[in-house]
Amino acid sequence: MQKKLISAILGVSIVASLFAAPVFAEDAAGTYALITKSAGNPYNEKEAEGFQKAVEAMGGKAVIQHPEAATADAQISVIQSLISQGVDSICIAANDSNALEAALTEAMASGIAVCSLDSATNADSRAVHVNQAGTMEVGQALIDAVLDLTGGEGQWAIVSATSQATNQNAWIDAMKAIAESDDKYAGLELVEVAYGDDEPQKSTDVTQALLTNYPDLKVICAPTTVGIAAAAKVLQDQKSPVKLTGLGLPSEMAEYIGDDDAHACPYMFLWNPIDIGRLGAYTSAALVAGDITGEAGETFTAGDMGEYEIVEAADDGTEVILGPPFKFDPSNIGEWKDVY
Ligand code: RAM
């Protein structure tokens, strides 16, 4: 009788544990903040969606802040207010690598766990950076696309986001370094890096100016989802022969992707912006729980995303890398345009 009762209790608890909430649920009860680069950018909204979902799956509370402008100043006032609120962690897509240092070190000194995602803060102002893909890998994919789309030589230009954006600047530097390291890129001439500040109208204007100022331009590379969407519209509306590549959201770029003259962009790259938000949340929770400190070699479980390892980053800090960049072209854009 007693045996039956014990096995019944054991059975129930085994079944209950099969359906139990994720292991993190209790550990993760806390308040986890995300500061994106700016409001009004669909990429940042996807990032926030993933962050929020993961925090809620862990049983925590997410505080999502989209600053009004893509500037360090706008982010500093958000950081100050999160310090006063006493959140457990801040995960930030940095609009400037150095300008946030004072505010973020103050946050860390007050016991808040700090990591960056998407766009890194400097190594002294974070425990770890959550990178969407290896910086050199992104640079390699982009410069090879430029080489391919120019046909091996000729003028190309960049439409970037803000001039201080750590991620865009890192990808641009990677493209330049790779182009200088191998003779096969010697025929490429980078004529200008233009900044659209992740604002659609400014990105449209700078694209237009590039077309006016460089009549021999062959390719524009926009390593920003806002810039590439604006440039695509300008080029396609004007039936320009200039070809476009870069980093774009499939949902915004589907109508511009194609192999023929009617389409501006033969192919582009990205990663899943929802997943970068999720990984930012799991990294924040692992820091808050003390499972990691941000040292290279540490590993942690990012919920249902699985195991991740912290590695050395190029800036003397450390990072966690989501995965390789993914290529979107006419063969797969249809599958992805409704996803993100
Ligand atoms: C823009 C932002 C973001 C970047 C993507 C590719 O939306 O600048 O930081 O990661 O493009």
Side-chain angles (χ1 to χ4, degrees):
M1 180 68 186
Q2 222 183 353
K3 259 192 197 163
K4 265 192 187 165
L5 190 66
I6 290 171
S7 66
I9 293 170
L10 271 178
V12 169
S13 62
I14 288 167
V15 171
S17 66
L18 285 176
F19 292 98
V23 207
F24 282 121
E26 274 156 295
D27 299 339
T31 305
Y32 304 88
L34 172 72
I35 309 176
T36 67
K37 276 183 166 179
S38 62
N41 176 346
Y43 179 94
N44 299 341
E45 280 153 22
K46 292 286 170 197
E47 195 174 76
E49 180 188 321
F51 186 90
Q52 176 134 15
K53 268 194 195 149
V55 167
E56 284 168 5
M58 292 184 287
K61 182 175 173 249
V63 176
I64 309 289
Q65 299 280 327
H66 298 290
E68 294 226 330
T71 62
D73 281 351
Q75 291 188 315
I76 289 168
S77 46
V78 175
I79 296 166
Q80 303 290 351
S81 112
L82 292 171
I83 296 174
S84 333
Q85 287 172 45
V87 295
D88 293 295
S89 67
I90 294 176
C91 184
I92 184 165
N95 284 321
D96 188 302
S97 67
N98 294 323
L100 302 172
E101 184 172 333
L104 289 175
T105 47
E106 186 187 333
M108 290 193 280
S110 75
I112 298 173
V114 172
C115 60
S116 50
L117 91 171
D118 179 32
S119 185
T121 57
N122 70 19
D124 293 332
S125 4
R126 66 175 202 252
V128 61
H129 175 57
V130 180
N131 207 348
Q132 45 272 73
T135 302
M136 291 310 276
E137 269 181 290
V138 176
Q140 186 75 60
L142 294 177
I143 195 69
D144 284 342
V146 171
L147 186 69
D148 175 33
L149 298 177
T150 53
E153 57 175 13
Q155 294 189 344
W156 68 290
I158 293 175
V159 172
S160 189
T162 61
S163 62
Q164 296 302 313
T166 324
N167 54 347
Q168 268 85 23
N169 286 343
W171 295 322
I172 293 168
D173 287 347
M175 280 190 264
K176 288 181 180 168
I178 296 166
E180 274 164 25
S181 72
D182 191 325
D183 277 354
K184 74 177 175 181
Y185 305 103
L188 295 179
E189 185 195 351
L190 174 59
V191 291
E192 189 174 329
V193 181
Y195 299 97
D197 291 349
D198 271 353
E199 289 171 16
Q201 189 56 51
K202 188 161 183 211
S203 306
T204 300
D205 295 346
V206 297
T207 303
Q208 188 56 62
L210 289 174
L211 297 182
T212 311
N213 294 340
Y214 305 99
D216 295 331
L217 193 66
K218 283 188 168 173
V219 169
I220 291 177
C221 177
T224 144
T225 58
V226 178
I228 198 173
K233 184 160 174 25
V234 172
L235 297 179
Q236 200 155 303
D237 284 357
Q238 295 181 18
K239 300 189 170 51
S240 167
V242 172
K243 286 296 168 200
L244 178 67
T245 191
L247 305 174
L249 276 174
S251 54
E252 296 187 308
M253 288 294 291
E255 62 185 295
Y256 305 111
I257 291 194
D259 280 330
D260 53 7
D261 289 347
H263 293 91
C265 179
Y267 57 91
M268 60 169 201
F269 302 85
L270 202 71
W271 38 83
N272 186 330
I274 304 168
D275 282 349
I276 190 77
R278 293 169 69 217
L279 190 54
Y282 288 121
T283 305
S284 300
L287 286 168
V288 170
D291 296 340
I292 55 171
T293 61
E295 289 295 307
E298 291 176 331
T299 58
F300 65 102
T301 305
D304 59 2
M305 299 177 83
E307 189 94 345
Y308 281 84
E309 185 180 351
I310 298 176
V311 296
E312 303 282 355
D315 65 355
D316 287 341
T318 60
E319 64 184 8
V320 184
I321 298 179
L322 179 67
F326 187 82
K327 182 178 181 183
F328 297 95
D329 62 20
S331 74
N332 62 14
I333 191 70
E335 285 165 47
W336 289 100
K337 68 179 176 25
D338 298 326
V339 185
Y340 52 84

